Amino acid sequence: MEQKKQIIDRFKNARSDAVQELNRLKKEGAKIAGYYCTYTPTEIILAAGAVPLRLCNSSEQYVQEGEVHLPRNLCAIVKSSFGEAVSGKSPYFEAADLVVGETTCDGKKKMYEYLRELKPTHIMQLPQKNTGHEESLLWINEMRRLKSSLEQEFEVDITVAKLKDAIKQKNSQRLAVKEFYENWRAHPGVLMSSEAYSILGNFDYRLDREKALEDLYAMIRHIKSGPPDADVKEYDNSPRILLTGCLLGEKMAGIINIIEKAGGNIVCVETCDWLKGSDGLVNEDMEPFSAIAEKYLQIPCPVMSPNHNRMELAARLIDDYQVDGVIDFVLRACLTYSVETVPLRRLVKDKKHTGYMSLETNLAHSESGQLNTRVSAFIEMLSI
Amino acid sequence: MEQKKQIIDRFKNARSDAVQELNRLKKEGAKIAGYYCTYTPTEIILAAGAVPLRLCNSSEQYVQEGEVHLPRNLCAIVKSSFGEAVSGKSPYFEAADLVVGETTCDGKKKMYEYLRELKPTHIMQLPQKNTGHEESLLWINEMRRLKSSLEQEFEVDITVAKLKDAIKQKNSQRLAVKEFYENWRAHPGVLMSSEAYSILGNFDYRLDREKALEDLYAMIRHIKSGPPDADVKEYDNSPRILLTGCLLGEKMAGIINIIEKAGGNIVCVETCDWLKGSDGLVNEDMEPFSAIAEKYLQIPCPVMSPNHNRMELAARLIDDYQVDGVIDFVLRACLTYSVETVPLRRLVKDKKHTGYMSLETNLAHSESGQLNTRVSAFIEMLSI
């Protein structure tokens, strides 16, 4: 097998490599549909023969650009995503031929109103509850509205056959991701959590998905048979940590390093770019739009009210991964995640008798010292 | 005619008088449905023979109670409303037999999840867009769901005849309010804006609506024929101010005083407790649920995306009321209003060439000095 480090590096470099790849694709006439949220049904974009490209940004530089145009009291992801768009300097945003957004949280839905001024933008109306007949019908209709928009914008026909192919393709990716983390969990001595995160947190940015899947399967083979890694071994008796909360983008890598250095053994990451997005498949035997709508509506995000799904998922993960402590990340001004610290704390502490810490972050570089101190104290408390 | 001051005092005292009135009503077996938002279709509550009671609170005392249970980074109205509910000390919340909420903003919709633990609570699913066939169907269905909930909770039948009566009753109130402010606008020398606000800002708390309407019409007669008031006259050449933004509850009275003392002549208040709620009627010739749904979905609130209605209303009010300056109140952490400062500023300054100031507030007593300074500077600038 190829060196583990080389494969991991290809994932680590995915975001910068995507810039070249986008140039190549654009030259070949490919259409790019930018999106921000895990609720975007990328199957429909794939069925349009277009490339789905995740646009949400988390860099401090673009937060400042965003604050020139938007109020400061929005979460860093919203501000930096808008800052990136409005700057005219982002190869990702500039590459997008169409932007797809959803009325998820208050900050995002209002920010999307200004994206319209920069790019052709299609907004999907997300229901605020994931049960109910009318909510389902509304969301299925949104699938059809997105189809029409893509067909019109990209001058293509989205057939049932293309949709079914795209569903199979995405499901096989979800299964590969699942197989990866099931194996990683079963062989904890081979891959550090920061390495596992480098792979999964960047998966969406490897636009050549076939090559990315090849690398993912190579890593699965390595995990199954590879020798224990000296660096990983030392975490064997460390507190087992579940990360949950807001999508933090590239900043997550730094936070995972802080936790690992403090002696925490991250056994599961329940965020949009890992488990929240890939848990569950689209039913391949149903009418495609209904099947896609059904899967996406069940994403356990706090924008749903009530959001029993996240509490049930957290309870299951705490048991499955034998978690000692939960670290819950909340982006400052992310009201839905912020309020859900209350029931999550109750679940984790009172029902599961597991450690819980909520960390508010604005993704600024300057706060890393404070995060370090709080995380170290939490891990130390769990180790006693 | 009865003294103007006595009538105004009955409105000013409405909130405290409501406590006694609630006791009396409860003893007589009346059912009380508490609600928080202008989106609540109170017609359906009235048709159930129940009393609609607005519960949203804005007092600092209850903000602190709310922060014991909820994260701090929510708007003061959400925190104080929850604080009031959880305190067990509020005669309003305690009087409610059922609470009705809607998934409006992120803060409120997540806060309502905890109200369920305190009272029977019915949550309506508000669409996030006020156009679209599916959005209308969803909202009409929510009217029917509320009807069923009220029928079950209060053991009553809500008939079409009762609904039509309630629609007529509410429409006549809206027309009275409209007649009041049309006359107040036409005779600016009779009633100060703080006096007008005392009347309309407390109208919802006068549970004996017939008596309240009687008083409102008495004031209309006074405005039409009454002698100019010396206190009011001095504002004749003052800058004409439109207030817009978040519902501030009882705190609005203090803010209006600050503006009046600074020499501003408030000619219109476009907030939930004044014009935003009472603009437009329910169509009396349509099927009742569709008619009610149609009216409420058009409320020009920033939770709708996009929210063209508010911009159109603001443009109309600036023209109709010959506005010199717009003061836009944003509750801290109210993300939707906060983002709408951007297009509103554009509209007011660039298109209407009118003064604009956005004021962020957390409704704390300690900020009144700062508000005073900023408002005075704005009025002074407009006066030059």
Side-chain angles (χ1 to χ4, degrees):
Chain A
M1 177 188 128
E2 202 184 349
Q3 285 296 312
K4 160 181 151 182
K5 190 182 169 304
Q6 285 170 294
I7 297 178
I8 294 175
D9 279 349
R10 278 205 289 278
F11 283 99
K12 274 191 182 164
N13 299 332
R15 291 176 200 231
S16 49
D17 288 349
V19 177
Q20 278 181 302
E21 185 68 3
L22 282 169
N23 281 336
R24 192 183 64 74
L25 287 165
K26 295 283 279 186
K27 269 183 201 146
E28 287 174 4
K31 295 296 181 187
I32 316 287
Y35 71 98
Y36 291 88
C37 187
T38 305
Y39 280 107
T40 307
T42 45
E43 283 84 350
I44 304 176
I45 296 171
L46 290 169
V51 179
L53 178 67
R54 199 183 260 272
L55 290 177
C56 51
N57 197 287
S58 60
S59 70
E60 216 168 342
Q61 170 206 352
Y62 285 132
V63 168
Q64 287 161 13
E65 297 248 18
E67 283 178 353
V68 175
H69 305 272
L70 291 173
R72 291 193 67 191
N73 196 14
L74 295 173
C75 89
I77 295 275
V78 169
K79 286 186 292 189
S80 64
S81 295
F82 188 71
E84 181 183 23
V86 84
S87 73
K89 291 181 284 192
S90 158
Y92 302 109
F93 188 81
E94 296 304 311
D97 300 290
L98 176 76
V99 169
V100 180
E102 308 86 7
T103 58
T104 49
C105 62
D106 286 348
K108 261 189 191 164
K109 84 176 174 188
K110 298 307 281 186
M111 179 272 276
Y112 290 146
E113 294 176 18
Y114 304 100
L115 280 187
R116 286 179 212 269
E117 297 172 10
L118 305 169
K119 283 268 178 189
T121 299
H122 175 91
I123 303 295
M124 304 180 76
Q125 291 292 315
L126 185 69
Q128 310 202 44
K129 191 174 73 172
N130 52 22
T131 54
H133 182 60
E134 276 69 22
E135 285 79 1
S136 285
L137 288 183
L138 178 80
W139 192 228
I140 292 169
N141 187 56
E142 288 300 303
M143 301 298 126
R144 296 184 194 278
R145 276 188 60 239
L146 177 62
K147 167 188 179 276
S148 303
S149 233
L150 289 164
E151 284 182 330
Q152 207 176 329
E153 198 69 40
F154 296 158
E155 294 174 351
V156 290
D157 277 327
I158 297 178
T159 62
V160 171
K162 285 179 191 170
L163 274 170
K164 293 211 164 209
D165 275 354
I167 289 171
K168 281 208 175 92
Q169 192 186 328
K170 282 279 296 183
N171 275 348
S172 71
Q173 283 174 32
R174 292 188 184 103
L175 287 170
V177 165
K178 199 171 178 187
E179 198 177 328
F180 172 84
Y181 64 66
E182 291 292 335
N183 274 287
W184 170 57
R185 180 174 65 152
H187 305 82
V190 185
L191 209 61
M192 287 179 76
S193 31
S194 53
E195 292 172 323
Y197 188 77
S198 291
I199 292 169
L200 294 189
N202 293 302
F203 188 82
D204 278 349
Y205 290 87
R206 290 196 64 177
L207 301 181
D208 184 343
R209 286 298 151 87
E210 279 184 33
K211 185 78 188 116
L213 277 174
E214 236 174 64
D215 278 348
L216 195 62
Y217 279 113
M219 284 308 305
I220 292 169
R221 286 193 301 276
H222 171 72
I223 292 168
K224 278 177 168 167
S225 61
D229 183 313
D231 285 338
V232 185
K233 261 295 168 199
E234 66 182 272
Y235 289 106
D236 258 10
N237 293 314
S238 309
R240 297 168 67 82
I241 304 294
L242 163 65
L243 290 191
T244 179
C246 296
L247 179 87
L248 302 184
E250 288 185 86
K251 294 279 172 175
M252 188 58 124
I255 284 166
I256 286 181
N257 278 329
I258 288 177
I259 296 168
E260 277 192 340
K261 276 189 187 145
N265 179 15
I266 300 157
V267 292
C268 187
V269 185
E270 184 271 312
T271 58
C272 277
D273 48 357
W274 194 333
L275 207 136
K276 199 177 263 143
S278 59
D279 195 52
L281 300 178
V282 176
N283 187 333
E284 297 182 11
D285 302 322
M286 274 171 73
E287 186 282 312
F289 290 115
S290 305
I292 297 172
E294 185 180 83
K295 187 258 175 291
Y296 281 88
L297 201 53
Q298 294 313 316
I299 292 170
C301 176
V303 298
M304 292 294 151
S305 180
N307 178 27
H308 300 305
N309 286 354
R310 182 167 174 231
M311 298 305 138
E312 281 159 22
L313 179 61
R316 172 155 62 88
L317 297 175
I318 289 168
D319 293 341
D320 283 4
Y321 292 80
Q322 296 163 286
V323 166
D324 299 307
V326 173
I327 300 182
D328 185 14
F329 281 98
V330 178
L331 281 161
R332 200 156 300 157
C334 176
L335 307 186
T336 60
Y337 270 102
S338 173
V339 177
E340 278 203 4
T341 57
V342 180
L344 193 61
R345 184 187 294 270
R346 279 191 205 164
L347 168 79
V348 174
K349 294 195 79 159
D350 304 344
K351 286 199 190 152
K352 294 290 179 185
H353 309 292
T354 301
Y356 174 87
M357 180 172 65
S358 157
L359 282 181
E360 203 180 57
T361 167
N362 63 4
L363 303 181
H365 184 67
S366 58
E367 70 181 10
S368 62
Q370 181 248 101
L371 283 178
N372 215 341
T373 309
R374 290 203 58 203
V375 165
S376 300
F378 181 63
I379 306 284
E380 203 179 307
M381 186 203 78
L382 293 177
S383 310
I384 295 167
Chain B
M1 181 190 124
E2 203 184 348
Q3 286 296 309
K4 163 180 148 182
K5 191 184 168 301
Q6 285 170 293
I7 297 179
I8 294 175
D9 279 349
R10 278 205 289 279
F11 283 99
K12 274 192 182 163
N13 300 331
R15 291 176 202 234
S16 49
D17 289 349
V19 177
Q20 277 180 302
E21 185 67 3
L22 281 169
N23 281 336
R24 192 184 63 75
L25 287 165
K26 295 283 281 186
K27 269 183 201 146
E28 285 174 5
K31 296 294 182 186
I32 316 287
Y35 71 99
Y36 290 88
C37 188
T38 305
Y39 280 106
T40 307
T42 45
E43 284 84 349
I44 304 178
I45 295 171
L46 290 169
V51 179
L53 178 66
R54 200 184 258 273
L55 290 177
C56 50
N57 197 287
S58 60
S59 69
E60 216 169 341
Q61 169 206 351
Y62 285 132
V63 168
Q64 286 161 14
E65 297 249 17
E67 283 179 351
V68 174
H69 304 273
L70 291 174
R72 292 193 67 191
N73 195 15
L74 296 173
C75 88
I77 295 275
V78 169
K79 286 186 292 189
S80 64
S81 295
F82 188 72
E84 182 182 24
V86 83
S87 73
K89 290 181 282 192
S90 158
Y92 303 109
F93 188 81
E94 296 304 311
D97 298 292
L98 176 75
V99 168
V100 181
E102 308 85 8
T103 57
T104 49
C105 62
D106 285 348
K108 260 188 191 162
K109 84 175 175 187
K110 298 307 283 185
M111 179 272 274
Y112 291 145
E113 294 176 17
Y114 304 99
L115 281 187
R116 286 178 212 270
E117 296 172 11
L118 304 169
K119 283 268 178 190
T121 300
H122 175 90
I123 303 295
M124 303 180 77
Q125 291 293 314
L126 184 69
Q128 309 200 43
K129 191 174 72 172
N130 52 22
T131 53
H133 182 61
E134 276 69 21
E135 285 78 2
S136 285
L137 288 183
L138 178 80
W139 192 227
I140 292 169
N141 186 57
E142 288 301 305
M143 301 299 127
R144 296 185 194 277
R145 276 187 59 236
L146 176 63
K147 169 189 178 273
S148 303
S149 232
L150 289 163
E151 285 183 332
Q152 207 177 329
E153 199 69 39
F154 296 158
E155 295 174 352
V156 291
D157 276 327
I158 297 178
T159 62
V160 170
K162 286 179 190 170
L163 275 170
K164 292 208 166 215
D165 276 354
I167 289 172
K168 281 207 177 90
Q169 190 185 328
K170 282 279 297 182
N171 275 349
S172 70
Q173 283 174 32
R174 291 188 186 105
L175 287 170
V177 165
K178 200 172 176 184
E179 198 176 330
F180 172 83
Y181 65 67
E182 291 293 336
N183 274 287
W184 171 57
R185 182 175 63 154
H187 305 81
V190 186
L191 210 61
M192 288 179 75
S193 31
S194 53
E195 292 172 323
Y197 188 78
S198 290
I199 293 169
L200 294 189
N202 293 303
F203 188 82
D204 278 349
Y205 291 87
R206 289 197 64 178
L207 301 182
D208 184 343
R209 287 297 151 87
E210 280 183 35
K211 185 79 188 112
L213 277 176
E214 238 173 63
D215 279 348
L216 195 62
Y217 278 111
M219 284 308 306
I220 292 170
R221 286 193 301 276
H222 171 72
I223 292 169
K224 278 177 169 168
S225 60
D229 183 311
D231 286 339
V232 184
K233 261 295 170 198
E234 68 182 89
Y235 289 105
D236 258 10
N237 294 313
S238 310
R240 298 168 65 81
I241 304 294
L242 164 64
L243 291 191
T244 178
C246 296
L247 178 88
L248 302 183
E250 288 185 86
K251 295 279 171 175
M252 187 59 122
I255 285 164
I256 286 181
N257 278 329
I258 288 178
I259 297 168
E260 277 191 341
K261 277 190 187 144
N265 179 14
I266 300 157
V267 292
C268 187
V269 185
E270 184 272 312
T271 58
C272 276
D273 47 358
W274 194 331
L275 207 138
K276 198 177 264 141
S278 59
D279 194 52
L281 300 178
V282 176
N283 187 332
E284 296 183 10
D285 301 322
M286 273 171 73
E287 186 282 314
F289 290 115
S290 304
I292 298 171
E294 186 180 83
K295 188 260 174 290
Y296 281 87
L297 201 53
Q298 294 314 316
I299 292 171
C301 176
V303 299
M304 291 295 151
S305 180
N307 178 28
H308 301 304
N309 287 354
R310 183 167 173 230
M311 299 304 138
E312 282 158 22
L313 179 61
R316 171 155 61 88
L317 296 175
I318 289 168
D319 292 341
D320 284 3
Y321 291 82
Q322 296 162 286
V323 166
D324 300 306
V326 173
I327 301 183
D328 185 15
F329 281 99
V330 178
L331 282 161
R332 198 154 302 156
C334 176
L335 307 187
T336 60
Y337 270 100
S338 174
V339 177
E340 277 202 4
T341 57
V342 180
L344 193 62
R345 184 187 296 269
R346 279 191 208 166
L347 168 79
V348 175
K349 295 196 78 160
D350 305 342
K351 286 198 190 155
K352 294 289 178 187
H353 308 293
T354 301
Y356 173 87
M357 180 173 65
S358 157
L359 281 181
E360 202 180 58
T361 168
N362 61 5
L363 302 182
H365 184 67
S366 57
E367 69 181 11
S368 62
Q370 181 248 104
L371 284 177
N372 216 340
T373 309
R374 290 203 58 203
V375 165
S376 300
F378 182 64
I379 306 285
E380 204 179 309
M381 187 202 78
L382 294 177
S383 310
I384 296 168

